[in-house]
Amino acid sequence: MEMTVEDLKKRIKDAGLRITPQRLAVLDAVDRNNHPAADRVVKEIRKNHPNVATGTVYKILDTFVSRGIIRKIETRSGVMRYDTILQKHLHLTDGNSDRIEDYFDDELFELIQKYLQHKKIPGFQTADIKIKLTGKFTD
Amino acid sequence: MEMTVEDLKKRIKDAGLRITPQRLAVLDAVDRNNHPAADRVVKEIRKNHPNVATGTVYKILDTFVSRGIIRKIETRSGVMRYDTILQKHLHLTDGNSDRIEDYFDDELFELIQKYLQHKKIPGFQTADIKIKLTGKFTD
DNA sequence: ATTATTGCAAAGACTTTGCAACTCC
DNA sequence: GGAGTTGCAAAGTCTTTGCAATAAT
């Protein structure tokens, strides 16, 4: 996180996309904020680019998701949240708030992966494991 | 699954709710259909109860979720799907369709539970583990 | 120059709300 | 009888769309 402008540009260019101020701003906003909703991204961006259209932000977020630069997070309310993709990680959520935190634990993913390799699921080929823990933040 | 009318009634009554034809129909529809969206539930119900209001179905689904009779499933599109709660299970989803299947595997949940008991997550107290596998259905 | 991207404003999909009328216990 | 539920229709929230104007390579 805290990517430099160069990092941001590289990430966008590597995905085969044109670099625009709007795209840089969106990627930066998703990176700097903790799992923001589209709404939040719009607000952040407007601080420096007052006339960015809402529709544009949605389009950019969609583009980024389909190119694999960022990830969509499904929520209980149905409002989408976004996440820059770094490494495999799981999400911690609190039923009483909309807080989402990342938790990194390669060992856990490996454990599950190994288990699934052993005990195959009939009629299904696993591509990705998504884990969400719900509970309480104690801090 | 395939609950009898008596089962349905019991489930609703045990949750401290009044038994109404609408509630019976909603619970039955969620039970009989494979992870239906609200929309689907409405259509199913209207076959026998033509004048059930959409709003009523949403209210009932909400009530059931908050009483723990059914569970809300978050999806990529943001459209909520519903599930009668039986035992711990995980969901299999295919990125190319909106199909959702249950997969039961107590061993897997125990494995993860044990792992998390061992390696506690700082600042977080886990209450529930949600696992979703994305991939391809091969049947 | 060419093609992708943006801004805008309107429409769309899904869900929630308020309240009078009605039902279940 | 009285609190809990329903139907209805309107409003709300979040997201998508179409297209002319604009900007990136």
Side-chain angles (χ1 to χ4, degrees):
Chain A
M1 24 194 102
E2 298 299 287
M3 305 171 99
T4 66
V5 179
E6 286 319 307
D7 291 336
L8 297 171
K9 284 187 179 173
K10 186 175 187 321
R11 197 105 165 231
I12 294 169
K13 186 157 229 168
D14 287 354
L17 297 170
R18 285 188 184 174
I19 293 162
T20 67
Q22 293 88 339
R23 284 184 175 156
L24 287 170
V26 167
L27 188 52
D28 189 47
V30 174
D31 186 48
R32 287 186 131 70
N33 292 278
N34 193 19
H35 310 97
D39 179 58
R40 184 81 210 287
V41 174
V42 171
K43 277 179 193 152
E44 287 297 316
I45 290 181
R46 293 228 171 110
K47 289 180 184 169
N48 296 313
H49 305 76
N51 43 356
V52 171
T54 304
T56 300
V57 171
Y58 276 100
K59 277 175 196 160
I60 292 176
L61 288 169
D62 258 18
T63 307
F64 284 176
V65 169
S66 65
R67 298 299 174 109
I69 300 181
I70 65 175
R71 177 178 297 202
K72 223 180 198 177
I73 305 173
E74 305 150 5
T75 70
R76 240 182 108 64
S77 71
V79 178
M80 291 301 155
R81 307 274 292 268
Y82 298 88
D83 200 357
T84 49
I85 296 170
L86 313 142
Q87 324 149 34
K88 261 203 184 315
H89 63 274
L90 52 87
H91 289 131
L92 310 178
T93 63
D94 188 324
N96 299 321
S97 74
D98 59 356
R99 185 170 167 194
I100 300 174
E101 296 290 345
D102 289 330
Y103 180 66
F104 299 91
D105 187 338
D106 291 343
E107 204 182 332
L108 178 55
F109 277 97
E110 271 171 40
L111 187 76
I112 296 170
Q113 222 151 21
K114 264 185 199 161
Y115 179 89
L116 291 175
Q117 275 167 5
H118 235 257
K119 194 173 187 172
K120 300 228 167 142
I121 300 173
F124 190 77
Q125 204 167 4
T126 306
D128 194 24
I129 303 168
K130 289 185 188 175
I131 304 173
K132 182 179 284 185
L133 302 182
T134 57
K136 275 185 186 169
F137 289 108
T138 55
D139 54 9
Chain B
M1 27 194 97
E2 299 299 287
M3 304 171 100
T4 66
V5 179
E6 284 320 306
D7 292 336
L8 297 170
K9 285 186 179 173
K10 186 175 186 322
R11 198 106 165 227
I12 294 169
K13 186 159 231 170
D14 285 354
L17 297 169
R18 283 191 185 170
I19 294 162
T20 67
Q22 292 89 339
R23 285 185 173 154
L24 287 170
V26 167
L27 188 52
D28 189 47
V30 174
D31 186 49
R32 287 185 130 72
N33 292 279
N34 193 22
H35 310 97
D39 177 59
R40 184 80 209 288
V41 173
V42 171
K43 276 179 193 150
E44 287 297 317
I45 289 181
R46 293 228 171 110
K47 289 179 185 169
N48 296 312
H49 306 76
N51 44 355
V52 171
T54 304
T56 299
V57 170
Y58 276 99
K59 278 175 197 161
I60 292 176
L61 288 169
D62 258 18
T63 306
F64 284 177
V65 169
S66 65
R67 300 298 175 110
I69 299 181
I70 65 175
R71 176 178 298 202
K72 224 180 196 177
I73 305 173
E74 304 150 5
T75 70
R76 241 182 106 66
S77 70
V79 178
M80 291 301 155
R81 306 275 292 268
Y82 299 87
D83 201 356
T84 48
I85 296 169
L86 312 141
Q87 324 148 36
K88 264 204 181 317
H89 63 274
L90 53 85
H91 289 130
L92 310 177
T93 64
D94 187 324
N96 299 321
S97 74
D98 59 356
R99 185 171 166 193
I100 300 174
E101 295 290 345
D102 290 330
Y103 181 64
F104 299 91
D105 187 339
D106 291 341
E107 204 182 332
L108 178 55
F109 277 96
E110 271 171 39
L111 187 75
I112 297 170
Q113 223 151 20
K114 265 185 198 161
Y115 178 87
L116 290 175
Q117 276 167 2
H118 235 258
K119 195 173 187 173
K120 298 225 168 148
I121 299 173
F124 190 77
Q125 204 167 5
T126 306
D128 194 25
I129 303 167
K130 288 185 188 178
I131 304 173
K132 181 179 284 185
L133 303 181
T134 58
K136 273 185 188 168
F137 291 105
T138 56
D139 54 12

